Amino acid sequence: MIRFTIDYPKNFAREYGLNAYYAGLHWSVRKKRADAWHWMVRAALKSQGIRPRIFQKPVRITFFWDDRLDIDNHAIAAKCTVDALKDYLLADDSRRYVRAVEHRFWDRRCIGVEIEEANDT
């Protein structure tokens, strides 16, 4: 199992909540935000000493949130995080490699990510 945390970026809910994307952001703004998120995830991994290591079996990824968004409003941030894990911890994000994504709340003022081998293989 691998666990790491990500500090919340400024304006998280306004920029990365699902409602922001429903508002019709231009594709270039979405790309800029996704690129920034990918960089932030990779920086968090490196700063916490997590080196590249591709999981050989399918995984389950659990996200832990501590913000005011509804639990189902985290889809964009979760997708950007999973995308950032490709070629670092995941071979790909297809169903062959990622079997489940879960969302939970916690009280730690950061985003938690837990990656573990899936039991259903």
Side-chain angles (χ1 to χ4, degrees):
M1 176 186 300
I2 292 179
R3 292 182 179 138
F4 66 97
T5 60
I6 304 166
D7 291 332
Y8 276 100
K10 186 177 179 181
N11 300 321
F12 170 74
R14 189 170 353 129
E15 293 185 9
Y16 293 99
L18 193 55
N19 291 336
Y21 280 72
Y22 275 126
L25 289 175
H26 190 268
W27 69 267
S28 63
V29 174
R30 288 193 310 266
K31 176 158 181 13
K32 182 179 177 183
R33 289 181 183 174
D35 289 346
W37 193 275
H38 296 168
W39 178 88
M40 185 177 59
V41 170
R42 293 286 178 102
L45 289 164
K46 291 175 184 175
S47 74
Q48 292 168 53
I50 299 171
R51 296 180 181 199
R53 178 197 85 148
I54 304 296
F55 277 87
Q56 298 301 309
K57 295 184 179 179
V59 300
R60 176 178 63 236
I61 303 171
T62 305
F63 290 94
F64 298 88
W65 307 99
D66 184 13
D67 54 52
R68 297 178 63 190
L69 293 177
D70 296 334
I71 197 74
D72 59 342
N73 210 341
H74 295 97
I76 299 303
K79 176 173 180 29
C80 287
T81 302
V82 172
D83 286 347
L85 297 174
K86 291 190 292 189
D87 297 324
Y88 197 93
L89 297 175
L90 305 174
D92 191 50
D93 61 348
S94 68
R95 68 186 291 173
R96 179 177 177 190
Y97 300 102
V98 179
R99 292 291 172 92
V101 173
E102 299 177 7
H103 297 271
R104 299 178 181 196
F105 286 117
W106 69 350
D107 296 317
R108 297 197 186 160
R109 296 186 179 186
C110 61
I111 301 164
V113 183
E114 196 173 88
I115 306 164
E116 60 186 332
E117 288 185 0
N119 296 339
D120 65 342
T121 56

